[in-house]
Amino acid sequence: MDARSARPRRTMTAALVALVVPLTLAGCGTQDDAGERDDRATGSAAQAATVVETEPAAPAPRMAASDDGLGEWDFGDPAGPALESMTGSLGAADVDTGWEEFRRLDGHDGWYRDDDPLGDSWQHRYFRAACWESLCSIFGGGSPSDAAFVGWEVSAFQRWNEHADADADADPTAPRIALAGSGVRLGDTWADLRAAYPGAEAGGGEGASLVVGTPPWPGIFDGAGAWRLSGTWDSERPTWAPDDVVITRMSGGVGPEPGCC
């Protein structure tokens, strides 16, 4: 074979090498490129894992209410620090009446919210209510500076919100208030309450409303009862109530109460 016949073969081989090498390099990429792809893949996998492992936030723990206080706050605790602490735990109040000064009425004991002797009255000159959905905390004293935490109520009725729609009821599930020792909550049935407190009896309130006539402890009268139930009172069975009626109001301590008759 002479030099002229060998030259084309060397040229073709060189050409094939020139084509294969760039294709191989393009397919492999640089180390940095591979690292970027791995990072993107790892990031996507981590993000997917995060989404899968995310769980709904647990509901706030229940707060116990009793005849001597609510949660960590006892009746008699100074109003200012107690309200500040409640706000820290429950958030800003949905309703805050601010401090109201009650007045004396001639011929009557106690302090009155207005000039009507059948209106709200109690033993303190100053009053304040702060409410979070169904819960209202009551504060009272001779002045705002010496007032104390004196009562609580959980109710489906927004008693202290004067600007609420008449048909707008509070959320009975918020905040999560339960009676100390039994766990009974707003919205539980009369059967639940009787099972926890066997001595409880039903009774009649204003307008044939149904109330708890013998609650576990005295509470704050709201014009119908200190503890209330859904449904209508049966005058022929004055201490009876259907098992499936529900608790619509519970309370403890003291607060302004409307007069009667």
Side-chain angles (χ1 to χ4, degrees):
M1 180 182 297
D2 58 20
R4 285 178 296 178
S5 61
R7 188 177 299 114
R9 292 191 182 93
R10 289 197 299 271
T11 303
M12 183 175 296
T13 301
L16 288 174
V17 172
L19 284 173
V20 170
V21 171
L23 289 174
T24 303
L25 292 175
C28 295
T30 65
Q31 185 174 358
D32 291 340
D33 291 339
E36 289 176 4
R37 284 197 299 274
D38 290 344
D39 289 344
R40 286 197 296 271
T42 303
S44 299
Q47 183 177 7
T50 301
V51 172
V52 170
E53 294 174 0
T54 299
E55 297 180 357
R62 292 183 180 182
M63 186 179 297
S66 68
D67 60 344
D68 58 8
L70 169 72
E72 63 188 86
W73 307 285
D74 298 325
F75 294 149
D77 287 348
L83 180 55
E84 182 178 358
S85 179
M86 290 178 188
T87 301
S89 296
L90 300 170
D94 303 309
V95 176
D96 189 338
T97 65
W99 288 109
E100 296 185 27
E101 183 178 6
F102 281 33
R103 67 197 73 178
R104 292 286 195 188
L105 296 183
D106 292 340
H108 295 276
D109 296 330
W111 296 88
Y112 289 78
R113 199 176 194 189
D114 50 38
D115 294 327
D116 183 0
L118 297 182
D120 292 337
S121 65
W122 68 337
Q123 68 267 45
H124 297 295
R125 182 174 183 175
Y126 281 86
F127 158 78
R128 185 173 184 174
C131 304
W132 297 264
E133 282 291 349
S134 64
L135 167 68
C136 288
S137 294
I138 309 298
F139 306 90
S143 69
S145 61
D146 67 12
F149 171 47
V150 295
W152 60 264
E153 60 184 42
V154 286
S155 174
F157 317 108
Q158 297 189 343
R159 179 185 178 198
W160 300 111
N161 188 356
E162 297 178 350
H163 304 292
D165 186 313
D167 297 325
D169 293 335
D171 180 356
T173 66
R176 291 164 53 84
I177 307 299
L179 299 186
S182 69
V184 170
R185 300 182 61 193
L186 209 64
D188 285 350
T189 66
W190 173 235
D192 295 329
L193 185 64
R194 284 190 301 104
Y197 305 98
E201 293 182 343
E206 182 70 19
S209 58
L210 191 57
V211 304
V212 181
T214 53
W217 53 77
I220 305 168
F221 180 71
D222 70 346
W227 294 52
R228 296 177 61 178
L229 301 167
S230 63
T232 304
W233 179 57
D234 184 350
S235 60
E236 295 183 357
R237 293 178 289 180
T239 62
W240 174 87
D243 283 345
D244 60 351
V245 298
V246 300
I247 305 165
T248 59
R249 187 173 187 271
M250 302 183 292
S251 58
V254 298
E257 300 182 353
C260 177
C261 312

